[in-house]
Structures are given as C-alpha cells and as structure tokens.
Amino acid sequence: MIKDIKEILFDEETIKAKIVELANLISEDYKGKNLVIVGVLKGSVIFAAELIKNIKVPCEIDFMAVSSYGNSTETSGVVRILKDLDHGIEGKDILIVEDIVDSGITLNYLGKYLQGRGAKSINIVTLLNKSARRKTDVDVKYQGFDVPDEFIVGYGIDYAEKYRNLPFIGILKPEVYEK
Ligand code: IMP
Ligand code: MG
C-alpha cells in the first residue's frame, strides 16, 4: 500500500495535534448550544472519532452517507443520500464533519438539505481543504489543512475504498488511478 504513495503530507502526530486544536475551538464556540455532530460517511470516521474524543461540551452524534463519486477520482456533480440521519435536528446546532472539501458540491447540497430539516445553525469542520478546486460556494468554518490539487488518501480517505487505514495523509501516485 505504502508503495502507492507519492508523498506523505501529514504524519499521525501532526494530524492529531491539529485535531486537538480544532476540538478546542469547537468546544469554546459550542458552549451552551445543542451540538449535533454529523459525520459524513465513510471518509470522515477516523477524523470524527478523534475530534469527538477531544470535544469538551455535551453533544449528540449522527451520521449521513452521501455519494457523488462512484469509484472515479472526479465528482459526478450529483449528490445522492445513501443514509439519512437517525434523529430529527429541529432547533439543533449542527456541525458537519467532512474528510475533504473539493468542488464543494457535496457540502453545498448537505448544508441546504439540513437547513431544510429545521436546523438552528449549521457549520462545517473539514480535515482537509482543496480550496484551489472549489466550484461552488461553501463556508468552511473550521479546517485542518489546505492540500494541493492532487489525489489524497489515508486517515479515512480512500481511493476506490482502499487506503483508508493508512495512519497518515499522503498523495496517491497518479499511475494507481490512471491505469
Ligand atoms: P466535493 O463534493 O467535490 O467537495 O467532494 C467531496 C468528497 O469527495 C469528499 O468528501 C471526499 O469523499 C471526496 N474527495 C474529494 N477529493 C478527494 C481526494 O483527493 N481523495 C479522496 N477523496 C476525495
Ligand atoms: Mg466524503
């Protein structure tokens, strides 16, 4: 697996330290609120777990699964909900936890969808931001790291369902997906 990685961008220690920073900001901002953490499956699970462990205010946890990619490396532009929330979110303060924001299409759609379900507030925390690739407006309140326009894997993030278990974040060699 490691032979498919062109470059390691962030090692586990660096990622964990950044997540503690994010959790501290979030804990401060969500004092006295009705925080519901909504993890976007599956890419965000490792990030979400680490983040949640470090959040110091009461919170609920829920998950959604959406798909816009299939097994390709380019977004299809169409978002489908594969798994909806388990509980209602009326009047709740939603924090969407995402692995990586690329075109922004997924989060733009999710934000509108959750707004339509009566959330009181909606913010986004993403581990990675590929800001150079943004195609639609997304307000990312908290972000871990900005990443270059390359295909990223590891720490939950996949290519065709693989590489999620790498404990670091790295750039996938193009020959892996250009075959
Ligand atoms: P967007 O809708 O284009 O912003 O795409 C967001 C989703 O695409 C993310 O949640 C990821 O699941 C996936 N994605 C975007 N860029 C990458 C990447 O470099 N590696 C792996 N998945 C990615
Ligand atoms: Mg995702």
Side-chain angles (χ1 to χ4, degrees):
M1 242 182 358
I2 185 102
K3 69 172 189 341
D4 296 339
I5 303 302
K6 184 169 102 178
E7 186 190 334
I8 295 179
L9 295 176
F10 311 106
D11 64 17
E12 191 172 12
E13 198 190 331
T14 307
I15 300 168
K16 284 190 166 175
K18 179 62 81 176
I19 295 175
V20 170
E21 262 178 49
L22 292 173
N24 288 341
L25 287 174
I26 291 164
S27 301
E28 199 52 48
D29 292 352
Y30 282 86
K31 272 184 191 156
K33 302 212 168 164
N34 290 313
L35 174 59
V36 179
I37 292 174
V38 174
V40 183
L41 295 172
K42 293 174 259 188
S44 76
V45 288
I46 298 178
F47 171 43
E50 193 62 28
L51 185 74
I52 290 161
K53 278 197 289 176
N54 287 287
I55 286 179
K56 309 266 187 325
V57 292
C59 63
E60 291 171 42
I61 299 165
D62 212 333
F63 288 98
M64 286 188 72
V66 295
S67 155
S68 66
Y69 264 54
N71 273 351
S72 123
T73 57
E74 281 286 324
T75 184
S76 67
V78 180
V79 181
R80 275 191 311 143
I81 293 181
L82 306 176
K83 185 217 166 290
D84 207 339
L85 296 170
D86 290 340
H87 302 286
I89 52 165
E90 245 171 81
K92 304 276 185 170
D93 298 297
I94 304 300
L95 181 64
I96 303 175
V97 182
E98 179 61 301
D99 52 357
I100 178 165
V101 187
D102 184 28
S103 70
I105 289 168
T106 306
L107 282 181
N108 185 282
Y109 174 88
L110 260 189
K112 285 186 187 141
Y113 175 77
L114 297 175
Q115 199 80 63
R117 298 215 22 196
K120 184 174 175 204
S121 68
I122 299 171
N123 280 313
I124 294 166
V125 56
T126 186
L127 180 58
L128 304 179
N129 193 355
K130 231 191 246 181
S131 52
R133 297 249 310 169
R134 203 56 39 81
K135 289 196 193 125
T136 170
D137 201 33
V138 178
D139 188 12
V140 175
K141 174 117 187 204
Y142 312 96
Q143 77 167 50
F145 308 98
D146 206 73
V147 287
D149 183 9
E150 306 244 26
F151 203 81
I152 309 293
V153 293
Y155 214 79
I157 301 167
D158 74 310
Y159 168 64
E161 298 298 331
K162 283 200 233 149
Y163 309 101
R164 293 192 198 276
N165 55 323
L166 293 176
F168 55 81
I169 290 166
I171 299 173
L172 189 63
K173 285 183 183 164
E175 56 258 41
V176 176
Y177 53 86
E178 279 168 0
K179 278 192 282 223

